[in-house]
Every structure is written in C-alpha cells, then in structure tokens.
Amino acid sequence: HESDLLEALLIGEKSRDSLLLEVSKPITGLVTGEQDLATVEPLLDANNVVVVVNDARQVCGIITRIDVVRYL
C-alpha cells in the first residue's frame, strides 16, 4: 500500500533506499473476477485497494475507490 510506504518514510522508520519488501504489508483484499461489487466495498474500507486475481492467484487488476466511483 502506498500508505505503508508514506507512513514508514514520514516517521523515519525507513529511508528512500529501503527495500519495498521491508516497508510493504501483505494485501488482504483479494477477489476474483466472479465476485460482485458488494464484496469490494468492505475490502476497500480495510485495505484502500482490492487486488483482482485469477484462479492461479495471478494479479489481473487493482480496484481503488475512484474506480468504483467512476463505475457508478
């Protein structure tokens, strides 16, 4: 999440030279393309982004709040 990166930089916990793996947290908002929009809303509240994956758990897309607003 970009918020993880910004927070780590702002509090001085990490520097611009830090590895992304040291700064980022796992994304828990995973959905498949077969799930509906109602599934996405609580995940956006918790994660700020939702990652769309296929059956092999490969990333197919990323959904943000602005994507939902544009859809509506």
Side-chain angles (χ1 to χ4, degrees):
H1 301 102
E2 71 181 50
S3 59
D4 297 333
L5 176 59
L6 289 173
E7 181 181 341
L9 290 172
L10 287 174
I11 64 174
E13 184 179 284
K14 300 292 179 182
S15 72
R16 292 178 54 172
D17 296 325
S18 298
L19 298 176
L20 292 176
L21 288 174
E22 296 173 357
V23 180
S24 61
K25 297 175 186 167
I27 294 177
T28 56
L30 298 177
V31 297
T32 65
E34 289 76 38
Q35 291 175 276
D36 59 28
L37 190 55
T39 305
V40 170
E41 289 184 64
L43 294 173
L44 282 172
D45 288 340
N47 299 291
N48 294 320
V49 297
V50 175
V51 178
V52 182
V53 296
N54 62 17
D55 292 336
R57 296 184 61 92
Q58 296 171 318
V59 175
C60 299
I62 296 175
I63 300 172
T64 64
R65 289 186 189 286
I66 195 66
D67 294 325
V68 175
V69 169
R70 287 181 181 157
Y71 175 77
L72 298 174

